[in-house]
Amino acid sequence: MQVAVPRISTVLSQSSFFTMGLLLFLLPTVAAIFTIYCVIARIRRSAKAKSLGCQPAPLFRPWDVIGVQNFKIEINGLKTNRLSYAFLDRKKEMSAKMGRDCKTFRIYYPPGETWFYTFDPKNLQAVLATQFQDFQQPTYKVGALQALLGPGIFSANGLKWEHSRALLKPQFMREQIADLGLFETHVQDLISALPGVAKPGDWTPIFDLQPLLERFTMDIATEFLFGESVHSQKDDNTDTSALVSKNEMTQFVQAFFAAEKTTAKSIFYGDLFWLAHDRKFKGQCKVVHEFVDMYVHRRLRDDGSDKKPGVGKYVVLDAIVNDMKDPHELRSQLLNILLAGSDTISGTLGFLLASLAQHPRILKKLRDIILHDFGSFNQPKEITLSGLKNCSYLQWCLNETLRVYPTVPVNFREAVRDTTLPVGGGSDGTSKVFIPKGHFVAWELWTMHSDPELWGPDASLFIPERWEGRKFGFDYLPFNAGPRICIGQQFALAEIAYLTVRLLQKFDSVDGPDLPEGRLLCDWKMVDKVAGGVNIRLRSADSRSQ
Ligand code: HEM
């Protein structure tokens, strides 16, 4: 008996026909359902916005419907180190279009998202402080950060963040950061690492100070966090009691800097952040994790024996080990702080020294005050935390650096529920703006800190004297504000002020013939740095004033 077996090609062609038919039916159906869903969501949002008394914020280039051009502007800005100018130009374009100073507007981004940009202190006060519960760190940013850092204060929301914050905030109180002795060894290492440190009256060659500043801040941060510095400023490590070899330290520093760069890039990819986390990156994270784990495991092993918090120098790991024993959690907390607290300081120091090189009058005034308050390099008066804080002109120079060159220039938050911003809606910009759940509110400080309405007609110039009698408000946010304000602010300002004092005691002139005139361009990574490097030379003070 013969059984009729259909030929395989016939079966396949019948099934492809069926699949094709199914697709032809499903695709338009899904598209239609999605469109109906969007329309209903839009109607609901409009109704809710109206009931809350909101008006739409103006829209930047409405014709760029899926935001491709907007995205291109930013990529181009990144490539040319003019991203901050791109934000400033957008605000100018919107102000010209609206016929008023337009501090809040919407922008489309691919694949069709709407973001809200605001440069208005009233809105930032709401996002960061008064309506803090309505906003969180964007989920994808948290995901992008966690590969390197693990969940910790910087890279978490909700209870995890609250727990980390409660644990870490006490580590940055006045008593913990008052020991400026931590900085001095590393200042000496920095001065030794300068090229051709000259005799009194001689100049160093022109060199890029930025990489040296990065190693300086890394050495301090690791000592403060782990109890042992990686001494990245030195070619060899003379400390024979160190837990790890010089080679391991160097590998760690290189892996950390490289992984930090990839992490910054991955944040730019948005929800697709994981695409940037390639094999090389994972290898770097492994090196970093294993390195920190050595300190954590040693501390857990030695718990209760030789070292106690508060005895000898202050070490964050020693202090937090009392409240947590999980090695992964300890590692995450330490890495979160290391990331938040090393490059931010080196970037700011770079902008400060480059600005002093551009402004000899300010440099001379600052140096005279430093010599008066703190003595000379070889015969210094005691440098204390309160001495640094009370040196007004020094503080004004730091404030002005962070105003003109905020090292964390862009920030954003995701709305966790439907909410509003207090101003920016309607043609005159005075109405509330509706922010639907899941949407992003972003701000860029370079632009807000240059606003003539907030800072006067000379807002783009570096003038420390403008700080005389001026108080901090929501128009100045280099450290953010509200419950998630930077916990390392005082530590950072102390470290920057200390190094500035010691360098200006040692050198009486800072010259940057290769630096551009006017406002410096910024190289955007995780934090801003001077584009092209801090190319300066220093003149060693004569022996009487050293
Ligand atoms: C000039 C130096 C610094 C600047 C400009 C700076 C700026 C900032 C900014 C803008 C934020 C908010 C980030 C956000 O909300 O997304 C932040 C958060 C943070 N900073 Fe800093 N920072 C500096 C130095 C430091 C230092 C030295 C440390 C610690 C050693 C540190 C630790 C932190 C931590 C842990 C957070 C997260 C706080 C939280 O989310 O609760 N920062 N910093």
PDB file of all heavy atoms in Angstrom, residues 185-201:
ATOM      1  N   THR A 185      51.228  63.947  52.196  1.00  0.00           N
ATOM      2  CA  THR A 185      52.130  62.969  51.540  1.00  0.00           C
ATOM      3  C   THR A 185      51.901  62.970  50.034  1.00  0.00           C
ATOM      4  O   THR A 185      52.850  62.890  49.245  1.00  0.00           O
ATOM      5  CB  THR A 185      51.779  61.530  52.021  1.00  0.00           C
ATOM      6  OG1 THR A 185      51.236  61.599  53.311  1.00  0.00           O
ATOM      7  CG2 THR A 185      52.941  60.602  51.919  1.00  0.00           C
ATOM      8  N   HIS A 186      50.642  63.044  49.658  1.00  0.00           N
ATOM      9  CA  HIS A 186      50.330  62.935  48.228  1.00  0.00           C
ATOM     10  C   HIS A 186      50.660  64.227  47.485  1.00  0.00           C
ATOM     11  O   HIS A 186      50.989  64.197  46.301  1.00  0.00           O
ATOM     12  CB  HIS A 186      48.880  62.500  48.051  1.00  0.00           C
ATOM     13  CG  HIS A 186      48.584  61.213  48.783  1.00  0.00           C
ATOM     14  ND1 HIS A 186      49.125  60.009  48.395  1.00  0.00           N
ATOM     15  CD2 HIS A 186      47.896  60.970  49.927  1.00  0.00           C
ATOM     16  CE1 HIS A 186      48.744  59.063  49.246  1.00  0.00           C
ATOM     17  NE2 HIS A 186      48.007  59.626  50.188  1.00  0.00           N
ATOM     18  N   VAL A 187      50.594  65.370  48.209  1.00  0.00           N
ATOM     19  CA  VAL A 187      51.039  66.640  47.596  1.00  0.00           C
ATOM     20  C   VAL A 187      52.539  66.544  47.307  1.00  0.00           C
ATOM     21  O   VAL A 187      53.008  66.915  46.222  1.00  0.00           O
ATOM     22  CB  VAL A 187      50.750  67.834  48.530  1.00  0.00           C
ATOM     23  CG1 VAL A 187      51.445  69.091  48.024  1.00  0.00           C
ATOM     24  CG2 VAL A 187      49.250  68.084  48.648  1.00  0.00           C
ATOM     25  N   GLN A 188      53.278  66.010  48.287  1.00  0.00           N
ATOM     26  CA  GLN A 188      54.734  65.872  48.088  1.00  0.00           C
ATOM     27  C   GLN A 188      55.011  64.966  46.890  1.00  0.00           C
ATOM     28  O   GLN A 188      55.894  65.248  46.078  1.00  0.00           O
ATOM     29  CB  GLN A 188      55.394  65.276  49.352  1.00  0.00           C
ATOM     30  CG  GLN A 188      55.314  66.177  50.580  1.00  0.00           C
ATOM     31  CD  GLN A 188      56.157  67.452  50.451  1.00  0.00           C
ATOM     32  OE1 GLN A 188      57.010  67.556  49.580  1.00  0.00           O
ATOM     33  NE2 GLN A 188      55.877  68.433  51.295  1.00  0.00           N
ATOM     34  N   ASP A 189      54.237  63.881  46.769  1.00  0.00           N
ATOM     35  CA  ASP A 189      54.423  62.970  45.627  1.00  0.00           C
ATOM     36  C   ASP A 189      54.109  63.688  44.310  1.00  0.00           C
ATOM     37  O   ASP A 189      54.787  63.474  43.307  1.00  0.00           O
ATOM     38  CB  ASP A 189      53.503  61.740  45.750  1.00  0.00           C
ATOM     39  CG  ASP A 189      53.988  60.791  46.844  1.00  0.00           C
ATOM     40  OD1 ASP A 189      55.123  60.970  47.318  1.00  0.00           O
ATOM     41  OD2 ASP A 189      53.209  59.891  47.216  1.00  0.00           O
ATOM     42  N   LEU A 190      53.082  64.522  44.324  1.00  0.00           N
ATOM     43  CA  LEU A 190      52.725  65.249  43.092  1.00  0.00           C
ATOM     44  C   LEU A 190      53.857  66.186  42.698  1.00  0.00           C
ATOM     45  O   LEU A 190      54.261  66.239  41.525  1.00  0.00           O
ATOM     46  CB  LEU A 190      51.420  66.043  43.307  1.00  0.00           C
ATOM     47  CG  LEU A 190      51.010  66.961  42.154  1.00  0.00           C
ATOM     48  CD1 LEU A 190      50.631  66.156  40.913  1.00  0.00           C
ATOM     49  CD2 LEU A 190      49.840  67.858  42.525  1.00  0.00           C
ATOM     50  N   ILE A 191      54.376  66.905  43.673  1.00  0.00           N
ATOM     51  CA  ILE A 191      55.450  67.862  43.358  1.00  0.00           C
ATOM     52  C   ILE A 191      56.675  67.106  42.838  1.00  0.00           C
ATOM     53  O   ILE A 191      57.307  67.521  41.864  1.00  0.00           O
ATOM     54  CB  ILE A 191      55.756  68.734  44.589  1.00  0.00           C
ATOM     55  CG1 ILE A 191      54.580  69.710  44.777  1.00  0.00           C
ATOM     56  CG2 ILE A 191      57.073  69.503  44.424  1.00  0.00           C
ATOM     57  CD1 ILE A 191      54.613  70.548  46.007  1.00  0.00           C
ATOM     58  N   SER A 192      56.962  65.938  43.437  1.00  0.00           N
ATOM     59  CA  SER A 192      58.108  65.152  42.942  1.00  0.00           C
ATOM     60  C   SER A 192      57.862  64.628  41.532  1.00  0.00           C
ATOM     61  O   SER A 192      58.809  64.375  40.792  1.00  0.00           O
ATOM     62  CB  SER A 192      58.372  63.943  43.833  1.00  0.00           C
ATOM     63  OG  SER A 192      58.524  64.348  45.141  1.00  0.00           O
ATOM     64  N   ALA A 193      56.589  64.427  41.184  1.00  0.00           N
ATOM     65  CA  ALA A 193      56.288  63.861  39.856  1.00  0.00           C
ATOM     66  C   ALA A 193      56.256  64.935  38.757  1.00  0.00           C
ATOM     67  O   ALA A 193      56.160  64.595  37.576  1.00  0.00           O
ATOM     68  CB  ALA A 193      54.944  63.139  39.903  1.00  0.00           C
ATOM     69  N   LEU A 194      56.320  66.221  39.144  1.00  0.00           N
ATOM     70  CA  LEU A 194      56.285  67.280  38.117  1.00  0.00           C
ATOM     71  C   LEU A 194      57.554  67.193  37.275  1.00  0.00           C
ATOM     72  O   LEU A 194      58.633  66.902  37.799  1.00  0.00           O
ATOM     73  CB  LEU A 194      56.204  68.662  38.776  1.00  0.00           C
ATOM     74  CG  LEU A 194      54.922  68.950  39.564  1.00  0.00           C
ATOM     75  CD1 LEU A 194      55.033  70.290  40.279  1.00  0.00           C
ATOM     76  CD2 LEU A 194      53.710  68.931  38.654  1.00  0.00           C
ATOM     77  N   PRO A 195      57.457  67.457  35.972  1.00  0.00           N
ATOM     78  CA  PRO A 195      58.657  67.302  35.149  1.00  0.00           C
ATOM     79  C   PRO A 195      59.665  68.391  35.467  1.00  0.00           C
ATOM     80  O   PRO A 195      59.290  69.562  35.622  1.00  0.00           O
ATOM     81  CB  PRO A 195      58.125  67.448  33.716  1.00  0.00           C
ATOM     82  CG  PRO A 195      56.861  68.213  33.855  1.00  0.00           C
ATOM     83  CD  PRO A 195      56.304  67.903  35.206  1.00  0.00           C
ATOM     84  N   GLY A 196      60.909  68.005  35.580  1.00  0.00           N
ATOM     85  CA  GLY A 196      62.023  68.940  35.763  1.00  0.00           C
ATOM     86  C   GLY A 196      61.748  69.987  36.817  1.00  0.00           C
ATOM     87  O   GLY A 196      61.832  71.179  36.517  1.00  0.00           O
ATOM     88  N   VAL A 197      61.397  69.552  38.048  1.00  0.00           N
ATOM     89  CA  VAL A 197      61.119  70.560  39.083  1.00  0.00           C
ATOM     90  C   VAL A 197      62.342  71.464  39.190  1.00  0.00           C
ATOM     91  O   VAL A 197      63.462  71.008  39.396  1.00  0.00           O
ATOM     92  CB  VAL A 197      60.807  69.901  40.444  1.00  0.00           C
ATOM     93  CG1 VAL A 197      60.687  70.961  41.522  1.00  0.00           C
ATOM     94  CG2 VAL A 197      59.522  69.109  40.357  1.00  0.00           C
ATOM     95  N   ALA A 198      62.072  72.737  38.972  1.00  0.00           N
ATOM     96  CA  ALA A 198      63.175  73.665  38.731  1.00  0.00           C
ATOM     97  C   ALA A 198      63.747  74.247  40.016  1.00  0.00           C
ATOM     98  O   ALA A 198      63.151  74.161  41.085  1.00  0.00           O
ATOM     99  CB  ALA A 198      62.646  74.782  37.858  1.00  0.00           C
ATOM    100  N   LYS A 199      64.904  74.858  39.880  1.00  0.00           N
ATOM    101  CA  LYS A 199      65.497  75.622  40.995  1.00  0.00           C
ATOM    102  C   LYS A 199      64.630  76.854  41.209  1.00  0.00           C
ATOM    103  O   LYS A 199      63.895  77.250  40.300  1.00  0.00           O
ATOM    104  CB  LYS A 199      66.903  76.109  40.612  1.00  0.00           C
ATOM    105  CG  LYS A 199      67.895  75.025  40.258  1.00  0.00           C
ATOM    106  CD  LYS A 199      69.321  75.601  40.194  1.00  0.00           C
ATOM    107  CE  LYS A 199      69.475  76.704  39.146  1.00  0.00           C
ATOM    108  NZ  LYS A 199      69.406  76.251  37.749  1.00  0.00           N
ATOM    109  N   PRO A 200      64.728  77.503  42.374  1.00  0.00           N
ATOM    110  CA  PRO A 200      63.957  78.731  42.573  1.00  0.00           C
ATOM    111  C   PRO A 200      64.161  79.698  41.413  1.00  0.00           C
ATOM    112  O   PRO A 200      65.278  79.903  40.959  1.00  0.00           O
ATOM    113  CB  PRO A 200      64.527  79.291  43.877  1.00  0.00           C
ATOM    114  CG  PRO A 200      65.026  78.089  44.604  1.00  0.00           C
ATOM    115  CD  PRO A 200      65.481  77.119  43.564  1.00  0.00           C
ATOM    116  N   GLY A 201      63.070  80.235  40.910  1.00  0.00           N
ATOM    117  CA  GLY A 201      63.135  81.212  39.800  1.00  0.00           C
ATOM    118  C   GLY A 201      63.048  80.558  38.432  1.00  0.00           C
ATOM    119  O   GLY A 201      62.805  81.250  37.445  1.00  0.00           O
TER     120      GLY A 201
END
